[in-house]
């Protein structure tokens, strides 16, 4: 005799396995697991982007949904960074040649930030950008920013859960 799980328990288990982002959103992860956190010489920084003209309360990390004026905020999580000169540079494209000034979109010179927040604004067009954070005496850290781009790997992962659910429902319906 085959024991079958009830539909609600089975669907919940499938959803948790194939679509974990429903169970754990960005705000519910520890800072060490946050995709918006990077390290500069062992010190943590957290990056956020905002486009209030498009979505007033939304906070983005590396996937920025639309073009235009974007507020960029780097939180200096570790207090030791607040006494060091910290700067930010945004380069259009993902070219490793950071010396190419023609592709620099924004630059905030390194200064100390006693409040622990580096703020700036940039007008971003569709495409890929590299945001580089530097702190005096420490190795730099960077983020790849995708502006109005489709991340096909994320789209594929997001589709796995619903597709698996449809497959199971199709098999159950067929029986």
């Amino acid at each position: 005799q085959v024991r079958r799980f009830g539909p609600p328990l089975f669907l919940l288990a499938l959803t948790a396995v194939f679509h974990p982002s429903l169970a754990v959103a960005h705000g519910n992860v520890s800072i060490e697991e946050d995709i918006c956190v990077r390290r500069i010489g062992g010190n943590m920084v957290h990056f956020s982007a905002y486009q209030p003209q498009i979505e007033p309360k939304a906070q983005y990390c590396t996937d920025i949904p639309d073009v235009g004026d974007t507020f960029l905020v780097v939180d200096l999580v570790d207090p030791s960074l607040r006494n060091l000169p910290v700067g930010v540079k945004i380069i259009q494209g993902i070219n490793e040649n950071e010396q190419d000034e023609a592709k620099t979109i924004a630059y905030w010179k390194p200064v100390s930030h006693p409040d622990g927040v580096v703020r700036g604004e940039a007008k971003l067009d569709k495409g890929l950008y590299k945001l580089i954070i530097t702190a005096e005496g420490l190795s730099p850290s960077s983020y790849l920013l995708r502006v109005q781009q489709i991340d096909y790997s994320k789209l594929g992962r997001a589709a796995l859960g619903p597709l698996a659910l449809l497959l199971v429902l199709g098999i159950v319906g067929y029986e």
Side-chain angles (χ1 to χ4, degrees), residues 99-114:
Q99 302 304 318
D100 189 359
E101 293 300 320
K103 295 187 184 236
T104 299
I105 303 302
Y107 176 73
W108 301 295
K109 68 180 186 167
V111 295
S112 63
H113 300 274

Side-chain angles (χ1 to χ4, degrees), residues 26 35-36 38 47-51 54-55 58-67 70-72 124-125 127-129 131 143-155 157:
H26 171 79
I35 62 168
C36 299
R38 299 284 190 277
F47 171 70
S48 301
Y50 302 90
Q51 293 183 319
I54 295 164
E55 185 64 42
Q59 172 185 334
Y60 309 106
C61 184
T62 55
D63 291 320
I64 301 171
D66 215 334
V67 299
T70 306
F71 294 99
L72 307 162
L124 302 177
D125 292 324
L128 299 175
Y129 294 84
L131 181 133
Y143 292 85
L144 174 64
L145 306 180
R146 303 166 55 86
V147 179
Q148 205 176 41
Q149 299 284 302
I150 296 172
D151 185 351
Y152 290 105
S153 64
K154 187 185 284 186
L155 186 64
R157 285 191 303 272

Side-chain angles (χ1 to χ4, degrees), residues 9-161:
L9 179 61
F10 181 69
L11 293 178
L12 181 62
L14 265 180
T15 302
V17 169
F18 290 110
H19 203 25
S21 63
L22 288 177
V24 180
H26 171 79
N28 293 335
V29 297
S30 69
I31 194 155
E32 290 83 13
E33 297 171 348
D34 190 335
I35 62 168
C36 299
V37 170
R38 299 284 190 277
R39 292 196 178 270
I40 296 181
N43 299 294
M44 288 192 288
V45 296
H46 183 275
F47 171 70
S48 301
Y50 302 90
Q51 293 183 319
Q53 73 278 14
I54 295 164
E55 185 64 42
K57 295 182 181 182
Q59 172 185 334
Y60 309 106
C61 184
T62 55
D63 291 320
I64 301 171
D66 215 334
V67 299
D69 294 331
T70 306
F71 294 99
L72 307 162
V73 177
V74 177
D75 292 305
L76 306 175
V77 177
D78 288 324
S80 61
L81 286 174
R82 297 172 186 191
N83 300 321
L84 295 176
V86 176
V88 174
K89 185 176 187 179
I90 302 172
I91 300 170
Q92 188 172 21
I94 53 174
N95 188 354
E96 291 299 319
N97 183 7
E98 297 173 11
Q99 302 304 318
D100 189 359
E101 293 300 320
K103 295 187 184 236
T104 299
I105 303 302
Y107 176 73
W108 301 295
K109 68 180 186 167
V111 295
S112 63
H113 300 274
D115 65 348
V117 181
V118 181
R119 300 172 188 87
E121 184 177 350
K123 187 172 183 78
L124 302 177
D125 292 324
K126 182 177 182 178
L128 299 175
Y129 294 84
K130 187 173 185 180
L131 181 133
I132 303 164
I133 304 167
T134 57
E136 185 177 271
L138 302 174
S139 57
S141 187
S142 64
Y143 292 85
L144 174 64
L145 306 180
R146 303 166 55 86
V147 179
Q148 205 176 41
Q149 299 284 302
I150 296 172
D151 185 351
Y152 290 105
S153 64
K154 187 185 284 186
L155 186 64
R157 285 191 303 272
L160 278 178

